[in-house]
Amino acid sequence: MGDAVQQFFAVKAKIAAAEREAGREAGAVTLVAVSKTFDAADIGPVIEAGQRVFGENRVQEAQGKWPDLKDAFPGIELHLIGPLQSNKAREAVTLFDVIETVDREKIAAELAKEIARQGRAPKLYVQVNTGSEPQKAGIEPREAVAFVARCRDVHGLAIEGLMCIPPADENPGPHFALLEKLGKEADVAKLSMGMSGDYETAIAFGATSVRVGSAIFGSR
């Protein structure tokens, strides 16, 4: 059994323990295995070990490896967890099953156009910049609820979740608490929060999915 497979099982066990600790149902939290920068040879054994949900940061990189992997392994759910450029909306709608990084009007409009054109509707999350970091993608927290409403009412998008990436040098707990609060106000069912270093904390704050890369695949 390779390192990635062993680490995958260790992460699954920690998620299960964190669910119990938080008084949540077993299986309430989906593991999104972040496979960016790793190739099909690295990813295949983790799929064979039972993982079916994966996250990628870049549309172009994902296009290079996932069509063949999806053909080889039925039931894969692929999440886009990196910033989406409007000129990549067409490819993103074609390839991804979940797009977690809707964060501005232009992207919402492009996605609506592509969903109508292709007849394929990935699940959509709005990314919230909980730390208001200028270099980071995501909508400002104070604008998030209104933006979700506009995505639904103006663009006809079915937004089902919120996503955040807390500042690296801050305690993530308050950011997760903020996303949970905004999720209730925006009436979304899903919260994508928590990464390799803090996913157990995120589960305590109500994460429905956690995005774990280096704790499974190793450092890039």
Side-chain angles (χ1 to χ4, degrees):
M1 191 159 63
D3 282 355
V5 171
Q6 283 179 309
Q7 285 160 198
F8 159 67
F9 285 123
V11 167
K12 290 284 282 182
K14 285 181 177 175
I15 288 172
E19 286 171 338
R20 284 194 300 275
E21 182 79 16
R24 298 180 61 188
E25 271 179 51
V29 180
T30 298
L31 168 61
V32 180
V34 179
S35 49
K36 65 178 184 181
T37 77
F38 290 96
D39 59 24
D42 297 312
I43 299 164
V46 177
I47 301 177
E48 284 164 2
Q51 178 63 8
R52 286 294 178 273
V53 186
F54 290 85
E56 288 282 341
N57 261 39
R58 292 191 175 87
V59 175
Q60 212 161 347
E61 185 194 334
Q63 281 177 309
K65 57 190 175 185
W66 279 104
D68 289 347
L69 283 168
K70 278 184 151 194
D71 285 345
F73 298 99
I76 294 287
E77 182 178 276
L78 192 59
H79 290 229
L80 178 63
I81 58 171
L84 176 59
Q85 307 304 321
S86 54
N87 65 352
K88 293 276 187 234
R90 175 173 297 192
E91 292 96 326
V93 169
T94 302
L95 181 60
F96 288 93
D97 305 292
V98 183
I99 296 172
E100 297 198 11
T101 49
V102 182
D103 67 349
R104 57 198 187 281
E105 207 77 40
K106 189 176 181 187
I107 290 292
E110 285 296 322
L111 287 172
K113 195 166 81 180
E114 281 306 318
I115 285 166
R117 197 181 71 81
Q118 296 185 34
R120 186 174 193 276
K123 295 170 182 169
L124 301 175
Y125 293 24
V126 164
Q127 182 174 353
V128 183
N129 186 352
T130 55
S132 298
E133 296 173 278
Q135 79 283 11
K136 201 173 271 180
I139 191 122
E140 284 290 315
R142 64 179 177 279
E143 296 166 18
V145 176
F147 179 64
V148 170
R150 279 203 310 283
C151 285
R152 288 169 172 161
D153 302 341
V154 176
H155 301 288
L157 297 175
I159 303 292
E160 72 163 41
L162 300 181
M163 178 266 232
C164 75
I165 305 168
D169 54 353
E170 290 185 23
N171 173 3
H175 295 274
F176 298 152
L178 173 59
L179 200 73
E180 186 190 26
K181 174 177 168 285
L182 292 172
K184 286 187 177 131
E185 290 172 15
D187 193 24
V188 300
K190 307 282 183 160
L191 296 174
S192 169
M193 56 191 195
M195 298 190 291
S196 286
D198 55 22
Y199 64 89
E200 291 156 290
T201 305
I203 290 168
F205 282 97
T208 57
S209 61
V210 293
R211 308 179 305 274
V212 180
S214 57
I216 295 171
F217 293 104
S219 53
R220 292 172 173 79

